[in-house]
Amino acid sequence: MSKIASDHLARQAFVYVRQSTQDQVQHNHESRRRQYGLADRARRLGWAEPEVIDDDLGRSGGGVARPGFERLLVAICEGRVGIVLAVEASRLARNGRDWHTLLEFCGLVGCLLADEDGLYDPRLPNDRLLLGMKGTMSEMELSILRQRSLEALRQKARRGELFLTVAVGYVKVRHDRIALDPDQRVRAALKLAFDRFAEFQSIRQVHLWLRQEGVLMPAVETGPDGRRIVWKPPVYKTIHNLMTNPIYGGAYAFGRTASRVTVEQGRKRVSRGHRRDREDWDVLIVDHHEGYVSWAEFERNQRLIADNANSLGLMARGAVRRGDALLAGLLRCGHCGRRLHVYYSGKDGFCVRYGCRGAAINHGTGPCISFGGLRVDAGVAAETLRLLSPLGIAAALEAVERRDEDAAALRRQAELALTQARYEADLARRQYDAVDPANRLVAAELERRWNDCLAAARRLEDSLAERMESSAATLSQTERGDLLTLGADLPRAWDHPGVTAEARKRILRAVIEEIVVTLAEGRIDLVIHWKGGDHTRLCTPRNRTGQHRWSSDAETGDMIRALARQQPDGGIAATLNRLGRRTGRDNPWTEARVRSFRSTHGVPVHKNGEMAERGELTLEQAARRLGVSTMSVLRMISSGLVAAAQVCKGAPWAIPEGQIAALEGQPMAARRPRTQNPDQGSLDFQ
């Protein structure tokens, strides 16, 4: 008895086509033809226009979301499907959930299932049992095949012979070995990037330098013609992958990333590419092949990259960033062990402070320590320069050599790019020469490609000529002598206007591991831990209230205190300006600034009649009392006849009133200053 009834034929036949991977879609054509051929079988069974669902080509049947399978289930539930055809049960599902859901829905609506072996009705017990066994075997088959293939891959990886892909800069020499790319341009570009990282110690700085110099980086593209190298302007991710891939350190690594399985909306979702810690890698074989850097240098680069991770907060010291704080990321609190934060204040952010706020942020307690950064930065910089001074001349000579090497490396890149461009132009010419000139449809396109290659070669020739011209301008003897002089005098080079704060920070980070800071009464204690393992102890005074780099000098402060007993604020400002005195911020004195100084330092304001209360007269008051001119009083003071005091040149004279009162009762001749010449006589007029 046939299982196909008129009710089934009244509905539509669906043919489900699926291949598990994109590789199968591209290469396993016969399997796909077999599945599409099921439509002819549906016609032979009595269905006129079967519908083919092939939305899931390249999708796994192990439980991930499949839009084609979902569409099939919807059609079954709507009662539009009379039969579902598939090559075998594994094409419909490779997991129990999807398979038994399909069987349940087909049994409810009376939908048939068919494969190459037979025709099944899920409502019949024997057919349901057979279909259940087919689904279980399909699921078990997938698990066994997957386990065998993965174990075979791991076994091959343990020997260092598994290469699913090959990184740029390497090529396969056998099925189980790789070697450096024979293309000189590729090798030179990668070597240049590693050299710049050794100098800049920052991936971002390397990326910006390559962009600024117009250096193109190689990338691998896989197409119908296989693997080929293309040249592109570098992006940050390219440089980051280059610096963090252990293959460039001569090591073989397998299992650097892992997959994660989650359940979303009732479906399995697999996300790949999650990085794993090095101790979790499946295989790591050092000195497996020739690297672009040594393994020791590769590990040092990884430590630098980890330290440059600003997103880790106080767990890492971070990369060199903008700002005047020279010791950012190097200071550690000697009281709680946390790294110190940097704070900028002031109108232009020139005021730098270091503070430990880890406990306040994490536990809500008060801040640990805080101090100004000016004296600490200066003290650490001076100690560093003292230790590096013997190496100054050698560093200057190395800078000259490095400049020449950089120019040579850039010139080499331009030369290699030009060589490749000329080859491509010659190849385009030979392709053009090989075509029949009468075939204009092909010849015109080949001629256009040839012209494009010639134009690209011409641009590279002009670029190389510019580089040759710029590199020909070597340092003159005067410039070389100036550079060596700066090398011999490192403090002068350190304070040179052309040296940026970023350059100073890199110098400090090159020699300092970290600095432990503790605060004591009136001082800051520092322990500098150098890269080589030695340490140095420093002590700098702490800032006190009113004592900072913008405060006025002590002599000017003493003048203001003394003048405040003789003059109002406006007069004090005029006196200080005549003397050329300036404020701590190098501004002229004004009445408001004098008043602010007095208020800050607790100096009382001048009161009218204050000098009279102390029994002191001004120069003008003394002249009126004696009935003489002010110049006569000045001569009395200079001759010693009158004892007077003056805070500074240009300040008011303070003359004791008692001395003027004693002179008022004497004759005019007695008031005159005595001459030092013994022959000088006195005339008495009648």
Side-chain angles (χ1 to χ4, degrees):
M1 182 179 65
S2 176
K3 298 177 183 178
I4 302 176
S6 58
D7 180 59
H8 297 132
L9 295 174
R11 290 178 279 178
Q12 195 171 7
F14 277 69
V15 176
Y16 184 77
V17 178
R18 184 183 68 83
Q19 287 180 301
S20 299
T21 64
Q22 291 295 334
D23 183 73
Q24 293 179 5
V25 175
Q26 295 177 4
H27 300 98
N28 297 358
H29 305 298
E30 292 302 324
S31 172
R32 190 165 62 256
R33 292 191 185 101
R34 284 178 58 203
Q35 296 184 60
Y36 280 113
L38 292 174
D40 296 333
R41 184 185 178 194
R43 294 186 185 96
R44 291 194 299 268
L45 291 175
W47 280 271
E49 292 296 333
E51 181 175 347
V52 177
I53 296 180
D54 56 2
D55 302 352
D56 297 338
L57 285 173
R59 293 178 179 268
S60 172
V64 299
R66 291 182 289 161
F69 186 76
E70 297 292 339
R71 187 155 64 91
L72 175 63
L73 291 180
V74 171
I76 292 173
C77 293
E78 292 175 350
R80 296 188 290 109
V81 183
I83 188 172
V84 177
L85 295 95
V87 171
E88 56 185 13
S90 63
R91 297 303 89 198
L92 286 167
R94 283 283 197 177
N95 67 93
R97 178 186 181 275
D98 290 348
W99 178 250
H100 290 286
T101 300
L102 176 65
L103 296 184
E104 185 68 22
F105 288 172
C106 289
L108 290 175
V109 300
C111 176
L112 301 178
L113 292 173
D115 59 16
E116 290 185 334
D117 296 331
L119 190 67
Y120 312 97
D121 187 349
R123 292 175 297 182
L124 301 178
N126 290 336
D127 288 359
R128 183 65 174 264
L129 176 62
L130 183 57
L131 289 173
M133 294 178 62
K134 282 179 174 284
T136 302
M137 292 176 63
S138 175
E139 184 177 6
M140 181 60 66
E141 179 188 25
L142 176 63
S143 301
I144 293 175
L145 291 177
R146 179 178 295 165
Q147 181 179 1
R148 288 177 179 175
S149 60
L150 290 178
E151 186 58 33
L153 289 177
R154 293 191 185 98
Q155 186 67 24
K156 193 173 183 180
R158 293 187 189 101
R159 300 194 304 268
E161 299 175 357
L162 177 63
F163 297 98
L164 302 177
T165 59
V166 180
V168 63
Y170 287 93
V171 293
K172 278 188 178 182
V173 293
R174 296 205 308 265
H175 69 281
D176 58 351
R177 286 289 180 269
I178 61 173
L180 297 181
D181 196 316
D183 191 331
Q184 295 183 15
R185 186 184 177 191
V186 173
R187 298 201 308 271
L190 299 182
K191 187 66 168 59
L192 179 64
F194 281 106
D195 290 343
R196 293 289 77 81
F197 184 82
E199 178 182 353
F200 298 144
Q201 299 185 0
S202 168
I203 294 178
R204 176 170 173 76
Q205 294 301 320
V206 174
H207 169 230
L208 295 178
W209 184 86
L210 293 174
R211 281 278 188 170
Q212 179 182 354
E213 298 296 336
V215 179
L216 302 180
M217 295 298 292
V220 175
E221 284 190 357
T222 303
D225 299 332
R227 185 176 184 267
R228 68 189 186 97
I229 298 294
V230 295
W231 294 87
K232 302 177 180 179
V235 296
Y236 179 84
K237 186 177 181 181
T238 300
I239 307 302
H240 185 274
N241 292 339
L242 183 67
M243 297 300 162
T244 56
N245 195 337
I247 192 173
Y248 297 105
Y252 177 88
F254 179 77
R256 296 171 56 214
T257 60
S259 302
R260 295 178 182 174
V261 180
T262 57
V263 178
E264 295 183 3
Q265 298 179 353
R267 286 290 180 183
K268 179 177 71 173
R269 182 179 182 274
V270 181
S271 58
R272 296 176 174 84
H274 298 278
R275 294 190 177 276
R276 306 166 69 186
D277 296 334
R278 182 183 297 184
E279 54 270 15
D280 296 331
W281 292 357
D282 296 334
V283 180
L284 178 61
I285 304 174
V286 181
D287 296 331
H288 176 268
H289 54 268
E290 184 179 359
Y292 284 86
V293 294
S294 65
W295 181 250
E297 184 176 355
F298 175 80
E299 289 192 314
R300 183 184 70 87
N301 292 347
Q302 303 317 298
R303 290 192 294 270
L304 287 174
I305 294 172
D307 283 342
N308 290 344
N310 292 305
S311 61
L312 297 180
L314 299 182
M315 297 302 294
R317 62 182 184 178
V320 172
R321 309 180 75 175
R322 292 179 296 177
D324 293 332
L326 298 182
L327 305 180
L330 295 177
L331 297 176
R332 184 180 296 277
C333 178
H335 300 273
C336 67
R338 295 180 174 88
R339 289 197 181 274
L340 302 189
H341 290 77
V342 181
Y343 305 94
Y344 294 96
S345 61
K347 181 178 180 181
D348 299 319
F350 289 142
C351 298
V352 179
R353 289 191 66 82
Y354 299 106
C356 177
R357 296 194 59 195
I361 295 174
N362 297 325
H363 308 297
T365 61
C368 187
I369 61 174
S370 178
F371 54 90
L374 180 64
R375 294 178 180 176
V376 174
D377 286 355
V380 173
E383 182 65 16
T384 303
L385 294 177
R386 183 185 68 83
L387 297 177
L388 294 181
S389 292
L391 306 176
I393 296 179
L397 294 175
E398 184 178 353
V400 175
E401 295 177 357
R402 179 64 62 85
R403 178 182 181 275
D404 297 338
E405 291 176 358
D406 290 348
L410 292 174
R411 187 170 61 251
R412 178 62 174 165
Q413 280 294 306
E415 291 172 350
L416 293 173
L418 178 58
T419 300
Q420 182 174 354
R422 286 173 175 171
Y423 164 75
E424 293 176 353
D426 183 67
L427 178 62
R429 178 190 61 79
R430 285 186 275 116
Q431 291 175 344
Y432 176 76
D433 292 342
V435 73
D436 185 1
N439 189 358
R440 294 304 305 168
L441 295 177
V442 177
E445 175 62 20
L446 294 178
E447 183 180 6
R448 184 192 63 81
R449 295 180 184 180
W450 185 15
N451 289 332
D452 291 343
C453 293
L454 290 175
R458 183 59 183 174
R459 288 193 298 269
L460 290 174
E461 288 175 355
D462 295 340
S463 176
L464 178 60
E466 293 178 0
R467 290 192 182 278
M468 295 288 289
E469 183 178 354
S470 61
S471 62
T474 58
L475 292 177
S476 64
Q477 292 297 328
T478 302
E479 293 173 335
R480 185 180 294 268
D482 293 342
L483 184 58
L484 293 177
T485 301
L486 287 176
D489 188 2
L490 279 184
R492 179 186 166 199
W494 182 270
D495 296 329
H496 194 277
V499 180
T500 63
E502 288 80 4
R504 297 188 181 100
K505 294 177 186 179
R506 289 195 181 96
I507 294 174
L508 294 176
R509 289 183 174 221
V511 296
I512 297 177
E513 186 68 33
E514 71 172 4
I515 303 173
V516 180
V517 186
T518 55
L519 297 187
E521 184 66 28
R523 71 178 190 274
I524 304 173
D525 295 329
L526 307 171
V527 180
I528 305 175
H529 294 271
W530 305 98
K531 288 286 188 180
D534 295 333
H535 63 273
T536 302
R537 296 185 180 274
L538 287 181
C539 180
T540 60
R542 294 182 63 180
N543 291 339
R544 298 182 181 275
T545 302
Q547 297 180 1
H548 48 80
R549 57 175 166 170
W550 304 124
S551 60
S552 301
D553 58 90
E555 186 177 357
T556 302
D558 293 340
M559 287 184 182
I560 295 176
R561 291 182 179 88
L563 291 173
R565 309 279 55 82
Q566 299 176 347
Q567 292 179 291
D569 295 339
I572 296 174
T575 301
L576 294 176
N577 289 332
R578 284 196 299 269
L579 294 174
R581 295 283 178 176
R582 311 285 284 187
T583 66
R585 294 184 179 270
D586 200 30
N587 295 320
W589 286 96
T590 62
E591 181 179 355
R593 288 173 178 145
V594 174
R595 183 166 57 249
S596 175
F597 180 91
R598 286 192 305 94
S599 176
T600 301
H601 295 82
V603 180
V605 66
H606 174 74
K607 297 181 297 184
N608 292 330
E610 182 178 342
M611 293 184 64
E613 294 177 0
R614 296 195 302 269
E616 296 175 347
L617 299 175
T618 63
L619 188 66
E620 292 77 9
Q621 292 172 342
R624 287 195 298 269
R625 290 276 297 269
L626 296 176
V628 297
S629 65
T630 55
M631 290 302 297
S632 297
V633 179
L634 287 175
R635 285 195 293 270
M636 294 178 188
I637 295 173
S638 61
S639 65
L641 187 61
V642 174
Q646 190 180 32
V647 175
C648 60
K649 185 178 180 180
W653 285 96
I655 304 173
E657 184 180 8
Q659 294 192 25
I660 300 302
L663 292 175
E664 284 180 323
Q666 298 180 5
M668 185 62 67
R671 301 178 190 174
R672 298 190 184 99
R674 299 291 183 181
T675 178
Q676 300 296 329
N677 189 351
D679 297 332
Q680 179 69 41
S682 298
L683 298 177
D684 294 329
F685 295 95
Q686 300 296 329

